[in-house]
Amino acid sequence: MDFFDKIGETISTKSKEVSDKAKDMAEIANLKGQIHTCEELIKKRYIEIGKIYFDKHGSTPEEEYEDACRDIENAQNTIVDIDARIREIKGI
């Protein structure tokens, strides 16, 4: 009977270990989800701050922002040109 008791005890111990691991993995997944949510909020706010800065100072940016502001202006002008070409093709 001692043999069967040891097998039962081993199965019980391993089952608990697997259950504990599954709980840990679920908690880690939940925590990683929370981190991702925070990172997305940070990213969104960085974009908002950049837009506010560009709207206020885009035409006369501080030296460290000149390249970025110029790139934005160039991209905006390109969009206008491409949109005009699309309207031309459509006959608008």
Side-chain angles (χ1 to χ4, degrees), residues 46-58:
Y46 277 152
I47 291 169
E48 288 175 7
I49 290 168
K51 183 168 178 3
I52 290 168
Y53 179 88
F54 182 80
D55 289 346
K56 287 185 177 186
H57 308 286

Side-chain angles (χ1 to χ4, degrees), residues 7 33 71:
I7 290 177
D71 289 345

